[in-house]
Amino acid sequence: MQMLSAWAAGVSMINQPAMELDWFLTTLLRLGRPRAAGPVRSVRGPLPDWLADAIERFSSPAHLPNGVSGLAALAGRSPEHLNRVVRRCTGMTAGQLVNELRMEYAARELRMTCRPILDIAADVGLSNVGYFYASFRRHFGLPPRRYRMREQKMMA
C-alpha cells in the first residue's frame, strides 16, 4: 500500500508523460486481478499456489530464457512433475505454457515500448529471430512489427 501511495502521488503531478500514466494504470490493474488470470487459465479449478507463484516470477525477462527447466526450478518441482500438473490444470504442456508466457511478454513490450524487436526476442530466450517471428505470427496472427504498429496506433 505504501508503494501504491507513492506511485499515486508521483503520477498525480501535472504534466506527467502519457507512458508514465499508462504504466501506473497497468500496474494498478495487475494488482487487482486474480492470480494467473492472464494467459494461463485453469481448466479444472484454481492453479496450485506453487505453480501460480512460479508462473508469476517466471514472467520476467530474467527467467523467460530458461524455458521449462527454469520454470520447474522456480516451482521447486521436477520438469516431469511440472508438466503433469500444468497439463492437468491448463490443458497445455509445460513447453506450450512457456511459449505462451514468452509471447505475452513480447506482445506487452511491443505495445508499450519502442525497443528493437531483436532485443525483445533475446529477452524471451529466442535468439533465432526467424523462429521468434514465426512463433509470434502463429500466436497473434501478425508479425511483430505489424503488431506493434497496429497496437501503438490504437493507443495514440
Side-chain angles (χ1 to χ4, degrees), residues 117-119 121-122 126-136 144:
I117 293 172
L118 292 174
D119 292 350
L126 300 176
S127 56
N128 180 328
V129 180
Y131 182 73
F132 172 73
Y133 269 73
S135 295
F136 194 90

